[in-house]
Amino acid sequence: MSADQTPTTQPASSQMWGGRFARGPAAIMEKINVSIGFDKRLADQDIAGSKAHAAMLAAQGIITADDALAIRDGLDRVKQEIDAGTFQFKTELEDIHMNVEARLTELVGDPAKRLHTARSRNDQVATDFRLWVRDAADRMDAGLTALQAALITLAEAHTDTVMPGFTHLQAAQPVTFGHHLLAYVEMFGRDRGRFRDARARMNECPLGSAALAGTPFPIDRHATAAALGFDRPTANSLDAVSDRDFALEYLAAAAICATHLSRFAEEIVLWCSDQFRFIRLSDAFTTGSSIMPQKKNPDAAELVRAKSGRVIGALSGLLVVMKGLPLAYSKDMQEDKEPVFETDDTLALCVAAMEGMVRDMTPNPASMRAAAERGFLTATDLADWLVRVLKMPFRDAHHVTGRAVKAAEERGTGLSDLPLDVLQAIEPRITADIFGVLTVESSVASRLSFGGTAPERVRGAVQAAKERFL
Ligand code: ARG
C-alpha cells in the first residue's frame, strides 16, 4: 500500500482521504484518462489549428467575423500565457484541447463557445499531432545534416589514412578511414530520406473530418489545409481520424536511424579501447572511473548505443497499440503521443551527442596503420596479382596465396617482407613486381572501382557527399 493510500487518523487528512475515497473510481478515472501532462506539448499546434478553423468558419459565414476576431485575439493571449509559463494546465480538463478552449472561454466569453462548430477533438488531435510530427521530421533532418557535415569534414582530412577494414570483426582488407566515415554519411543520408518521405506522405490535413463522418456545415477544408501548410485535406473522414501511420512512419525512420547511431557508437567504443587505439575522445566526451584512476570511459557512445532500445521499443509499442483498433477513433490512440515525444527527445539527443563526438575525436593514424600491417591484409592483392599478371585462375591463386601467408606466418613477417626466393619456391613465375601490390598503401590505392576505398575515389566521394547532402 503506497503512502497516499494509507488511511490516517488525523482529521484533516481523513477528510481529504474521505472525499477522495467517496469519489474513488472517479479519481482513478481522471488519472487514467488525463493526457495534459504530455499533450501540452501540442499547445502551439492546437492554437494554430484553432485559428485556421475559426478564420475558415468566418469566411464561410458559419460564425461572424467579430466572433472570429475575438477568437483569434483570445488564442494569441492563450499562447502568450503558455509561452510565459503563466498558463494553468488543469488535469480536470483532461487534455490540451479542452485546456486551451476553456481558457479561451474565460478570456473572450461566448465567441469561444462557437469555435468547436464543425469539428471534434478527434480531427483536432489528428491535425495537431500531424503538425507536431511534421516539425519533428524537419528538425531531425537538420540534426542529421549537421552530423553528416561533421563526418564529411573528418573524412576529408582522412582520405589517405589507412586502417584495417573488417568482416566478422576480423581484419579483412585495408581501407581508408575517410571511406569508413563516409559509410555512415550514406546511412544518415538514407535516414534523412525516410524522414522526408514520411513528411511528404503525412502532409494532408484531417481537420474538418469532425468526429468521424464529416459535418453538415459548409466548411472549406481546402482553406484550412492550405492555412496550416498542408498539401491537401485528407480524402476520407474515417481514415483521417483513425490514422496514425504518420507517427508510425516517423518512429520507423527513427528506429532505423537509432540503429545506425548504435552501430557507429559501438565502433567508437571499440576504437577507443586500448586494444584498438584508433581514436581518442577528449575529457569532454568521456568519464572517469570512481575506482580505477587510469580509466577514460566512452559513456556518451555507450549511451547512444543503449538508447536505440527506447526508440525501437517506441515503434513496437505504438504498432501494438494500433494493431487491433476498429475504425474510427478509440481512446487507445491517446497512447500515441508519449512514444513519439520520447523518441524525438532521445533521438535528437543521440544525434547531437554523436555530432559532438565526431567533432571531438582525434584519430590515431599510426595506430590504424600498424593494425592494417598485421594480419596479412594484402593477401587478396597478392592473389589478384597472380590472376592479373600470370593469368592464373582465381581459385588457384587463392591456394598459392594461402601458402605464402603460411610462409610469412612461420617467419613472423608480413607478406611484403617475404624474400622473393621464398615466394618463387611457392610459385616460380612470381617476379619482384609483386612487391608493388603488397603494401597497405598500394592495396587501397588500387581499389578504384566506383564506391571503392582508394584515396583518389574517397576524395571524389567527399566532394559528391558535400553536393548531395550539405
Ligand atoms: N486527448 C485525446 C487524444 O489524444 C483527444 C481526442 C479525444 N477524443 C475523444 N473522442 N475522446 O486522443
Side-chain angles (χ1 to χ4, degrees), residues 83-133:
D83 291 347
T86 57
F87 188 94
Q88 290 212 339
F89 293 102
K90 297 185 179 143
T91 50
E92 60 273 25
L93 290 173
E94 204 179 309
D95 60 22
I96 185 64
H97 322 293
M98 301 213 286
N99 267 273
V100 169
E101 197 181 312
R103 180 66 185 139
L104 181 69
T105 309
E106 279 172 19
L107 289 171
V108 308
D110 278 352
K113 297 190 201 156
R114 301 188 194 282
L115 173 60
H116 214 52
T117 314
R119 79 171 184 189
S120 141
R121 272 193 296 157
N122 294 351
D123 57 337
Q124 195 179 352
V125 72
T127 305
D128 294 359
F129 199 27
R130 274 191 201 230
L131 288 171
W132 197 95
V133 176

Short mmCIF file of all heavy atoms in Angstrom, two decimals, residues 83-133:
data_model
loop_
_atom_site.label_atom_id
_atom_site.label_comp_id
_atom_site.label_asym_id
_atom_site.label_seq_id
_atom_site.Cartn_x
_atom_site.Cartn_y
_atom_site.Cartn_z
N ASP A 83 3.52 30.55 -23.35
CA ASP A 83 4.94 30.86 -23.56
C ASP A 83 5.56 31.48 -22.31
O ASP A 83 6.73 31.22 -21.99
CB ASP A 83 5.11 31.82 -24.75
CG ASP A 83 4.78 31.15 -26.07
OD1 ASP A 83 4.66 29.91 -26.10
OD2 ASP A 83 4.63 31.87 -27.09
N ALA A 84 4.78 32.30 -21.61
CA ALA A 84 5.30 32.97 -20.42
C ALA A 84 5.32 32.04 -19.20
O ALA A 84 5.89 32.38 -18.16
CB ALA A 84 4.47 34.21 -20.11
N GLY A 85 4.69 30.88 -19.33
CA GLY A 85 4.67 29.94 -18.21
C GLY A 85 3.62 30.28 -17.17
O GLY A 85 3.63 29.72 -16.07
N THR A 86 2.70 31.17 -17.50
CA THR A 86 1.67 31.55 -16.52
C THR A 86 0.37 30.78 -16.72
O THR A 86 -0.54 30.87 -15.90
CB THR A 86 1.37 33.06 -16.60
OG1 THR A 86 0.97 33.38 -17.94
CG2 THR A 86 2.59 33.88 -16.24
N PHE A 87 0.25 30.06 -17.80
CA PHE A 87 -0.97 29.30 -18.09
C PHE A 87 -1.12 28.17 -17.07
O PHE A 87 -0.16 27.48 -16.75
CB PHE A 87 -0.88 28.71 -19.50
CG PHE A 87 -2.16 28.08 -19.98
CD1 PHE A 87 -3.08 28.80 -20.74
CD2 PHE A 87 -2.44 26.74 -19.71
CE1 PHE A 87 -4.25 28.21 -21.19
CE2 PHE A 87 -3.61 26.15 -20.15
CZ PHE A 87 -4.51 26.89 -20.89
N GLN A 88 -2.35 28.02 -16.56
CA GLN A 88 -2.58 26.95 -15.58
C GLN A 88 -3.18 25.74 -16.28
O GLN A 88 -4.37 25.76 -16.64
CB GLN A 88 -3.53 27.46 -14.50
CG GLN A 88 -2.89 28.50 -13.61
CD GLN A 88 -3.44 28.42 -12.20
OE1 GLN A 88 -4.53 27.89 -11.98
NE2 GLN A 88 -2.70 28.94 -11.24
N PHE A 89 -2.37 24.74 -16.46
CA PHE A 89 -2.89 23.50 -17.05
C PHE A 89 -3.68 22.75 -15.98
O PHE A 89 -3.20 22.56 -14.87
CB PHE A 89 -1.74 22.63 -17.56
CG PHE A 89 -1.01 23.24 -18.73
CD1 PHE A 89 0.22 23.88 -18.55
CD2 PHE A 89 -1.54 23.19 -20.00
CE1 PHE A 89 0.89 24.45 -19.62
CE2 PHE A 89 -0.88 23.76 -21.09
CZ PHE A 89 0.34 24.39 -20.89
N LYS A 90 -4.89 22.33 -16.33
CA LYS A 90 -5.75 21.67 -15.34
C LYS A 90 -6.02 20.23 -15.73
O LYS A 90 -6.51 19.96 -16.84
CB LYS A 90 -7.08 22.43 -15.23
CG LYS A 90 -6.88 23.85 -14.73
CD LYS A 90 -8.19 24.56 -14.49
CE LYS A 90 -7.95 25.98 -13.97
NZ LYS A 90 -8.91 26.93 -14.51
N THR A 91 -5.76 19.33 -14.79
CA THR A 91 -5.96 17.92 -15.09
C THR A 91 -7.45 17.59 -15.26
O THR A 91 -7.80 16.71 -16.04
CB THR A 91 -5.39 17.01 -13.99
OG1 THR A 91 -5.86 17.48 -12.73
CG2 THR A 91 -3.88 17.02 -14.00
N GLU A 92 -8.31 18.34 -14.54
CA GLU A 92 -9.73 18.05 -14.70
C GLU A 92 -10.23 18.41 -16.10
O GLU A 92 -11.29 17.96 -16.53
CB GLU A 92 -10.58 18.75 -13.62
CG GLU A 92 -10.50 20.25 -13.59
CD GLU A 92 -9.33 20.80 -12.74
OE1 GLU A 92 -8.32 20.09 -12.57
OE2 GLU A 92 -9.43 21.95 -12.28
N LEU A 93 -9.44 19.18 -16.83
CA LEU A 93 -9.82 19.50 -18.21
C LEU A 93 -9.17 18.52 -19.19
O LEU A 93 -9.13 18.77 -20.41
CB LEU A 93 -9.44 20.94 -18.54
CG LEU A 93 -10.30 21.99 -17.82
CD1 LEU A 93 -9.76 23.40 -18.06
CD2 LEU A 93 -11.75 21.91 -18.28
N GLU A 94 -8.61 17.46 -18.66
CA GLU A 94 -8.19 16.30 -19.43
C GLU A 94 -7.02 16.52 -20.40
O GLU A 94 -5.97 15.92 -20.25
CB GLU A 94 -9.38 15.73 -20.22
CG GLU A 94 -9.23 14.28 -20.57
CD GLU A 94 -10.46 13.75 -21.33
OE1 GLU A 94 -11.59 13.96 -20.83
OE2 GLU A 94 -10.26 13.13 -22.38
N ASP A 95 -7.23 17.32 -21.43
CA ASP A 95 -6.17 17.39 -22.44
C ASP A 95 -5.92 18.82 -22.91
O ASP A 95 -6.58 19.76 -22.45
CB ASP A 95 -6.49 16.46 -23.63
CG ASP A 95 -7.80 16.81 -24.34
OD1 ASP A 95 -8.26 17.95 -24.22
OD2 ASP A 95 -8.35 15.91 -25.01
N ILE A 96 -5.00 18.98 -23.82
CA ILE A 96 -4.61 20.32 -24.27
C ILE A 96 -5.76 21.02 -24.99
O ILE A 96 -5.94 22.24 -24.84
CB ILE A 96 -3.35 20.25 -25.19
CG1 ILE A 96 -2.85 21.65 -25.57
CG2 ILE A 96 -3.60 19.42 -26.44
CD1 ILE A 96 -2.38 22.49 -24.41
N HIS A 97 -6.57 20.25 -25.71
CA HIS A 97 -7.65 20.87 -26.49
C HIS A 97 -8.66 21.54 -25.57
O HIS A 97 -9.08 22.67 -25.80
CB HIS A 97 -8.33 19.81 -27.37
CG HIS A 97 -7.37 18.82 -27.93
ND1 HIS A 97 -6.42 19.18 -28.85
CD2 HIS A 97 -7.14 17.51 -27.65
CE1 HIS A 97 -5.66 18.12 -29.13
NE2 HIS A 97 -6.09 17.09 -28.41
N MET A 98 -9.05 20.84 -24.50
CA MET A 98 -10.06 21.39 -23.58
C MET A 98 -9.44 22.46 -22.69
O MET A 98 -10.12 23.41 -22.32
CB MET A 98 -10.69 20.27 -22.78
CG MET A 98 -11.33 19.25 -23.73
SD MET A 98 -12.80 18.45 -23.11
CE MET A 98 -12.11 17.34 -21.94
N ASN A 99 -8.15 22.32 -22.37
CA ASN A 99 -7.50 23.36 -21.58
C ASN A 99 -7.46 24.68 -22.34
O ASN A 99 -7.78 25.73 -21.79
CB ASN A 99 -6.07 22.93 -21.21
CG ASN A 99 -6.00 22.24 -19.86
OD1 ASN A 99 -5.86 22.89 -18.83
ND2 ASN A 99 -6.13 20.92 -19.86
N VAL A 100 -7.07 24.61 -23.61
CA VAL A 100 -6.99 25.85 -24.41
C VAL A 100 -8.38 26.45 -24.58
O VAL A 100 -8.59 27.65 -24.39
CB VAL A 100 -6.32 25.57 -25.78
CG1 VAL A 100 -6.48 26.77 -26.72
CG2 VAL A 100 -4.84 25.24 -25.60
N GLU A 101 -9.34 25.59 -24.91
CA GLU A 101 -10.69 26.11 -25.17
C GLU A 101 -11.31 26.71 -23.91
O GLU A 101 -11.97 27.76 -23.97
CB GLU A 101 -11.57 24.99 -25.73
CG GLU A 101 -12.82 25.53 -26.39
CD GLU A 101 -13.72 24.41 -26.94
OE1 GLU A 101 -13.19 23.51 -27.63
OE2 GLU A 101 -14.93 24.44 -26.67
N ALA A 102 -11.09 26.07 -22.77
CA ALA A 102 -11.67 26.57 -21.52
C ALA A 102 -11.08 27.93 -21.17
O ALA A 102 -11.79 28.86 -20.76
CB ALA A 102 -11.42 25.58 -20.39
N ARG A 103 -9.77 28.07 -21.35
CA ARG A 103 -9.13 29.35 -21.04
C ARG A 103 -9.59 30.43 -22.03
O ARG A 103 -9.85 31.57 -21.63
CB ARG A 103 -7.60 29.19 -21.10
CG ARG A 103 -6.83 30.47 -20.80
CD ARG A 103 -7.02 30.92 -19.36
NE ARG A 103 -6.38 32.21 -19.10
CZ ARG A 103 -6.90 33.20 -18.38
NH1 ARG A 103 -8.10 33.04 -17.83
NH2 ARG A 103 -6.26 34.31 -18.19
N LEU A 104 -9.74 30.01 -23.27
CA LEU A 104 -10.24 30.95 -24.29
C LEU A 104 -11.63 31.45 -23.89
O LEU A 104 -11.93 32.65 -24.03
CB LEU A 104 -10.29 30.27 -25.65
CG LEU A 104 -10.76 31.13 -26.82
CD1 LEU A 104 -9.74 32.21 -27.15
CD2 LEU A 104 -11.02 30.26 -28.07
N THR A 105 -12.46 30.57 -23.39
CA THR A 105 -13.82 30.94 -22.98
C THR A 105 -13.76 31.92 -21.80
O THR A 105 -14.51 32.89 -21.76
CB THR A 105 -14.63 29.69 -22.62
OG1 THR A 105 -14.50 28.75 -23.68
CG2 THR A 105 -16.11 30.02 -22.42
N GLU A 106 -12.85 31.65 -20.87
CA GLU A 106 -12.67 32.61 -19.75
C GLU A 106 -12.29 33.98 -20.28
O GLU A 106 -12.76 35.00 -19.81
CB GLU A 106 -11.56 32.13 -18.81
CG GLU A 106 -11.98 31.07 -17.80
CD GLU A 106 -10.76 30.51 -17.04
OE1 GLU A 106 -9.69 31.16 -17.04
OE2 GLU A 106 -10.90 29.41 -16.48
N LEU A 107 -11.43 34.00 -21.29
CA LEU A 107 -10.89 35.27 -21.78
C LEU A 107 -11.87 36.02 -22.66
O LEU A 107 -11.99 37.23 -22.56
CB LEU A 107 -9.58 35.02 -22.56
CG LEU A 107 -8.37 34.61 -21.73
CD1 LEU A 107 -7.22 34.18 -22.65
CD2 LEU A 107 -7.91 35.76 -20.84
N VAL A 108 -12.56 35.32 -23.57
CA VAL A 108 -13.37 36.06 -24.55
C VAL A 108 -14.87 35.75 -24.48
O VAL A 108 -15.65 36.35 -25.23
CB VAL A 108 -12.86 35.85 -26.01
CG1 VAL A 108 -11.37 36.15 -26.09
CG2 VAL A 108 -13.16 34.46 -26.52
N GLY A 109 -15.25 34.79 -23.63
CA GLY A 109 -16.68 34.52 -23.45
C GLY A 109 -17.33 33.80 -24.63
O GLY A 109 -16.71 32.93 -25.25
N ASP A 110 -18.54 34.21 -24.95
CA ASP A 110 -19.38 33.49 -25.91
C ASP A 110 -18.74 33.12 -27.26
O ASP A 110 -18.95 32.00 -27.74
CB ASP A 110 -20.69 34.26 -26.16
CG ASP A 110 -21.70 33.97 -25.05
OD1 ASP A 110 -21.41 33.07 -24.23
OD2 ASP A 110 -22.75 34.64 -25.01
N PRO A 111 -17.99 34.02 -27.90
CA PRO A 111 -17.42 33.63 -29.20
C PRO A 111 -16.63 32.32 -29.12
O PRO A 111 -16.68 31.50 -30.04
CB PRO A 111 -16.51 34.81 -29.56
CG PRO A 111 -17.12 35.98 -28.85
CD PRO A 111 -17.68 35.43 -27.56
N ALA A 112 -15.96 32.12 -27.98
CA ALA A 112 -15.13 30.92 -27.82
C ALA A 112 -15.99 29.65 -27.89
O ALA A 112 -15.53 28.60 -28.34
CB ALA A 112 -14.40 30.97 -26.48
N LYS A 113 -17.26 29.77 -27.48
CA LYS A 113 -18.12 28.59 -27.47
C LYS A 113 -18.53 28.17 -28.88
O LYS A 113 -19.10 27.10 -29.08
CB LYS A 113 -19.37 28.87 -26.63
CG LYS A 113 -19.04 29.14 -25.16
CD LYS A 113 -20.33 29.17 -24.36
CE LYS A 113 -20.16 29.91 -23.04
NZ LYS A 113 -21.44 30.41 -22.54
N ARG A 114 -18.31 29.08 -29.84
CA ARG A 114 -18.65 28.73 -31.23
C ARG A 114 -17.48 28.08 -31.97
O ARG A 114 -17.63 27.60 -33.09
CB ARG A 114 -19.07 29.98 -31.99
CG ARG A 114 -20.26 30.68 -31.39
CD ARG A 114 -20.76 31.80 -32.28
NE ARG A 114 -21.68 32.67 -31.57
CZ ARG A 114 -22.96 32.35 -31.34
NH1 ARG A 114 -23.46 31.22 -31.78
NH2 ARG A 114 -23.74 33.17 -30.66
N LEU A 115 -16.30 28.10 -31.35
CA LEU A 115 -15.10 27.58 -32.03
C LEU A 115 -15.21 26.11 -32.39
O LEU A 115 -14.69 25.67 -33.41
CB LEU A 115 -13.86 27.82 -31.12
CG LEU A 115 -12.54 27.21 -31.56
CD1 LEU A 115 -12.12 27.75 -32.93
CD2 LEU A 115 -11.44 27.51 -30.54
N HIS A 116 -15.89 25.35 -31.55
CA HIS A 116 -15.92 23.90 -31.77
C HIS A 116 -16.98 23.48 -32.81
O HIS A 116 -17.24 22.30 -33.00
CB HIS A 116 -16.13 23.17 -30.45
CG HIS A 116 -15.41 21.84 -30.38
ND1 HIS A 116 -14.06 21.70 -30.65
CD2 HIS A 116 -15.85 20.58 -30.09
CE1 HIS A 116 -13.72 20.43 -30.53
NE2 HIS A 116 -14.79 19.72 -30.19
N THR A 117 -17.60 24.48 -33.47
CA THR A 117 -18.56 24.17 -34.54
C THR A 117 -17.83 23.43 -35.67
O THR A 117 -16.75 23.84 -36.07
CB THR A 117 -19.13 25.49 -35.13
OG1 THR A 117 -19.50 26.35 -34.05
CG2 THR A 117 -20.33 25.21 -36.02
N ALA A 118 -18.44 22.35 -36.14
CA ALA A 118 -17.94 21.63 -37.32
C ALA A 118 -16.57 21.00 -37.10
O ALA A 118 -15.80 20.81 -38.04
CB ALA A 118 -17.89 22.55 -38.55
N ARG A 119 -16.24 20.71 -35.87
CA ARG A 119 -15.04 19.92 -35.62
C ARG A 119 -15.25 19.11 -34.35
O ARG A 119 -16.24 19.31 -33.63
CB ARG A 119 -13.79 20.79 -35.51
CG ARG A 119 -13.60 21.46 -34.19
CD ARG A 119 -12.25 22.14 -34.03
NE ARG A 119 -12.15 22.69 -32.68
CZ ARG A 119 -11.20 23.49 -32.26
NH1 ARG A 119 -10.23 23.86 -33.06
NH2 ARG A 119 -11.19 23.93 -31.00
N SER A 120 -14.32 18.20 -34.12
CA SER A 120 -14.37 17.33 -32.94
C SER A 120 -12.95 17.25 -32.41
O SER A 120 -12.00 17.61 -33.11
CB SER A 120 -14.88 15.95 -33.38
OG SER A 120 -14.21 14.93 -32.70
N ARG A 121 -12.80 16.79 -31.19
CA ARG A 121 -11.42 16.60 -30.73
C ARG A 121 -10.71 15.53 -31.56
O ARG A 121 -9.49 15.48 -31.60
CB ARG A 121 -11.42 16.21 -29.25
CG ARG A 121 -11.41 17.41 -28.33
CD ARG A 121 -11.10 16.98 -26.92
NE ARG A 121 -12.14 16.10 -26.40
CZ ARG A 121 -11.97 15.23 -25.40
NH1 ARG A 121 -10.80 15.10 -24.83
NH2 ARG A 121 -12.97 14.48 -24.98
N ASN A 122 -11.50 14.69 -32.23
CA ASN A 122 -10.87 13.61 -33.00
C ASN A 122 -10.09 14.14 -34.20
O ASN A 122 -8.96 13.72 -34.44
CB ASN A 122 -11.93 12.60 -33.45
CG ASN A 122 -12.56 11.87 -32.29
OD1 ASN A 122 -12.10 12.00 -31.15
ND2 ASN A 122 -13.62 11.12 -32.53
N ASP A 123 -10.73 15.04 -34.96
CA ASP A 123 -9.96 15.61 -36.08
C ASP A 123 -8.97 16.66 -35.58
O ASP A 123 -7.91 16.87 -36.18
CB ASP A 123 -10.87 16.19 -37.18
CG ASP A 123 -11.84 17.26 -36.68
OD1 ASP A 123 -12.13 17.28 -35.47
OD2 ASP A 123 -12.29 18.07 -37.52
N GLN A 124 -9.29 17.25 -34.43
CA GLN A 124 -8.41 18.27 -33.86
C GLN A 124 -7.07 17.64 -33.44
O GLN A 124 -5.99 18.13 -33.81
CB GLN A 124 -9.11 18.89 -32.65
CG GLN A 124 -8.50 20.18 -32.16
CD GLN A 124 -9.29 20.74 -30.96
OE1 GLN A 124 -10.36 20.24 -30.60
NE2 GLN A 124 -8.75 21.77 -30.35
N VAL A 125 -7.15 16.53 -32.70
CA VAL A 125 -5.91 15.92 -32.23
C VAL A 125 -5.12 15.33 -33.40
O VAL A 125 -3.88 15.40 -33.43
CB VAL A 125 -6.17 14.87 -31.12
CG1 VAL A 125 -6.80 13.60 -31.67
CG2 VAL A 125 -4.88 14.53 -30.39
N ALA A 126 -5.84 14.78 -34.37
CA ALA A 126 -5.14 14.21 -35.53
C ALA A 126 -4.37 15.30 -36.28
O ALA A 126 -3.25 15.09 -36.76
CB ALA A 126 -6.14 13.52 -36.47
N THR A 127 -4.99 16.50 -36.34
CA THR A 127 -4.33 17.63 -37.02
C THR A 127 -3.14 18.14 -36.21
O THR A 127 -2.04 18.31 -36.74
CB THR A 127 -5.35 18.77 -37.23
OG1 THR A 127 -6.47 18.26 -37.93
CG2 THR A 127 -4.73 19.92 -38.01
N ASP A 128 -3.38 18.36 -34.92
CA ASP A 128 -2.31 18.88 -34.07
C ASP A 128 -1.09 17.97 -34.10
O ASP A 128 0.06 18.42 -34.20
CB ASP A 128 -2.78 18.97 -32.60
CG ASP A 128 -3.89 19.99 -32.40
OD1 ASP A 128 -4.29 20.64 -33.38
OD2 ASP A 128 -4.38 20.10 -31.25
N PHE A 129 -1.37 16.68 -33.99
CA PHE A 129 -0.27 15.72 -33.88
C PHE A 129 0.51 15.63 -35.20
O PHE A 129 1.73 15.53 -35.21
CB PHE A 129 -0.82 14.37 -33.45
CG PHE A 129 0.21 13.44 -32.88
CD1 PHE A 129 1.37 13.91 -32.25
CD2 PHE A 129 0.03 12.06 -32.95
CE1 PHE A 129 2.32 13.05 -31.72
CE2 PHE A 129 0.97 11.18 -32.42
CZ PHE A 129 2.11 11.67 -31.82
N ARG A 130 -0.22 15.69 -36.30
CA ARG A 130 0.49 15.70 -37.60
C ARG A 130 1.39 16.92 -37.71
O ARG A 130 2.52 16.82 -38.19
CB ARG A 130 -0.51 15.74 -38.75
CG ARG A 130 -0.99 14.37 -39.16
CD ARG A 130 -1.74 14.46 -40.46
NE ARG A 130 -2.61 13.29 -40.59
CZ ARG A 130 -2.65 12.52 -41.66
NH1 ARG A 130 -1.94 12.79 -42.72
NH2 ARG A 130 -3.45 11.47 -41.68
N LEU A 131 0.87 18.07 -37.28
CA LEU A 131 1.69 19.28 -37.35
C LEU A 131 2.95 19.11 -36.50
O LEU A 131 4.05 19.51 -36.89
CB LEU A 131 0.89 20.50 -36.85
CG LEU A 131 -0.22 21.01 -37.78
CD1 LEU A 131 -1.06 22.06 -37.06
CD2 LEU A 131 0.38 21.60 -39.06
N TRP A 132 2.78 18.49 -35.34
CA TRP A 132 3.93 18.31 -34.44
C TRP A 132 4.95 17.36 -35.06
O TRP A 132 6.16 17.65 -35.07
CB TRP A 132 3.46 17.79 -33.08
CG TRP A 132 4.51 17.97 -32.01
CD1 TRP A 132 4.61 19.00 -31.13
CD2 TRP A 132 5.61 17.09 -31.74
NE1 TRP A 132 5.70 18.82 -30.32
CE2 TRP A 132 6.35 17.67 -30.67
CE3 TRP A 132 6.07 15.89 -32.28
CZ2 TRP A 132 7.49 17.09 -30.15
CZ3 TRP A 132 7.23 15.31 -31.76
CH2 TRP A 132 7.92 15.89 -30.71
N VAL A 133 4.47 16.24 -35.57
CA VAL A 133 5.39 15.24 -36.13
C VAL A 133 6.08 15.80 -37.39
O VAL A 133 7.25 15.53 -37.63
CB VAL A 133 4.66 13.92 -36.42
CG1 VAL A 133 5.58 12.90 -37.08
CG2 VAL A 133 4.09 13.33 -35.13
#
